[in-house]
Amino acid sequence: QKEVEQNSGPLSVPEGAIASLNCTYSDRGSQSFFWYRQYSGKSPELIMFIYSNGDKEDGRFTAQLNKASQYVSLLIRDSQPSDSATYLCAVNTPLVFGKGTRLSVIA
Amino acid sequence: GAVVSQHPSWVICKSGTSVKIECRSLDFQATTMFWYRQFPKQSLMLMATSNEGSKATYEQGVEKDKFLINHASLTLSTLTVTSAHPEDSSFYICSARDGHPRYFGPGTRLLVL
């Protein structure tokens, strides 16, 4: 059974701080990794995807991948209240989703 | 990014009726579309992979005769929930690929009374 694990949270950070979201996966052969943001009652929105070990930056978001440790993370710099949502980690094709981490950014 | 639409966004029906949900890729062609279901406070669970011009591939535990999928064109896939029951009430979301990243439709919330 291929699994993707995330801490359900909630993770609370003050406005302007860095939010760090973590994800581990069980399938060592996984090749593609995605982070989605889901607001309550809405469908997921793609934030980042990463295929290679290392860091990938896009604006305030940085995805980090370590295939040896089977670990992928998402950093959100200068967190804003509008970033408050559930963040879903997904792996491979077809996508296997974690249960999501609920982030709360406190103004 | 690519746009995926779904219709309807909300549907309420009586137990025993059938409900059809449409998923369209608006500005790209999608040979493959995916159907997910999400129960409250749960993550997305893949139901089936829909391939244009061929039969859908269903995940283990998903009844193919209950959840009929048709992918008649490169921009349209439909999911029909046949003889819906209250336990089928859920948030149904389709997804399509434009290259590798996966984009999701806005979802269809189904309530079966």
Side-chain angles (χ1 to χ4, degrees), chain A residues 32 34 36 38 40-46 49 51 88 92-100, chain B residues 34 36 38 41-44 46 49 59 91 93 95 97 100-107 109:
Chain A
S32 48
F34 305 85
Y36 288 86
Q38 186 175 28
S40 181
K42 302 295 185 180
S43 67
E45 171 193 8
L46 180 67
F49 58 91
Y51 306 145
L88 301 170
N92 269 346
T93 300
L95 292 174
V96 177
F97 282 87
K99 291 188 175 181
Chain B
F34 304 86
Y36 292 83
Q38 186 178 34
K41 300 192 183 300
Q42 302 284 319
S43 191
L44 280 76
L46 179 65
T49 301
E59 295 299 301
F91 191 37
I93 312 172
S95 171
R97 271 204 299 242
H100 205 161
R102 191 76 49 73
Y103 298 96
F104 286 86
R109 200 163 294 281

Side-chain angles (χ1 to χ4, degrees), chain A residues 59-85:
Chain A
R60 295 187 295 115
F61 300 99
T62 299
Q64 298 174 318
L65 174 61
N66 184 326
K67 290 186 177 180
S69 300
Q70 296 175 237
Y71 173 94
V72 57
S73 65
L74 179 70
L75 301 177
I76 306 175
R77 288 181 298 281
D78 188 24
S79 296
Q80 301 297 310
S82 58
D83 295 326
S84 298

Side-chain angles (χ1 to χ4, degrees), chain A residues 5-105:
Chain A
E5 300 287 341
Q6 292 180 257
N7 188 322
S8 62
L11 172 66
S12 294
V13 300
E15 183 175 0
I18 296 175
S20 177
L21 304 161
N22 305 315
C23 172
T24 59
Y25 57 95
S26 63
D27 182 6
R28 185 170 287 278
S30 299
Q31 296 294 321
S32 48
F33 308 86
F34 305 85
W35 282 100
Y36 288 86
R37 176 174 61 197
Q38 186 175 28
Y39 292 110
S40 181
K42 302 295 185 180
S43 67
E45 171 193 8
L46 180 67
I47 298 176
M48 297 276 295
F49 58 91
I50 185 167
Y51 306 145
S52 305
N53 273 330
D55 294 359
K56 179 181 179 182
E57 187 174 317
D58 183 0
R60 295 187 295 115
F61 300 99
T62 299
Q64 298 174 318
L65 174 61
N66 184 326
K67 290 186 177 180
S69 300
Q70 296 175 237
Y71 173 94
V72 57
S73 65
L74 179 70
L75 301 177
I76 306 175
R77 288 181 298 281
D78 188 24
S79 296
Q80 301 297 310
S82 58
D83 295 326
S84 298
T86 297
Y87 289 80
L88 301 170
C89 172
V91 175
N92 269 346
T93 300
L95 292 174
V96 177
F97 282 87
K99 291 188 175 181
T101 298
R102 191 156 51 92
L103 172 66
S104 178
V105 180

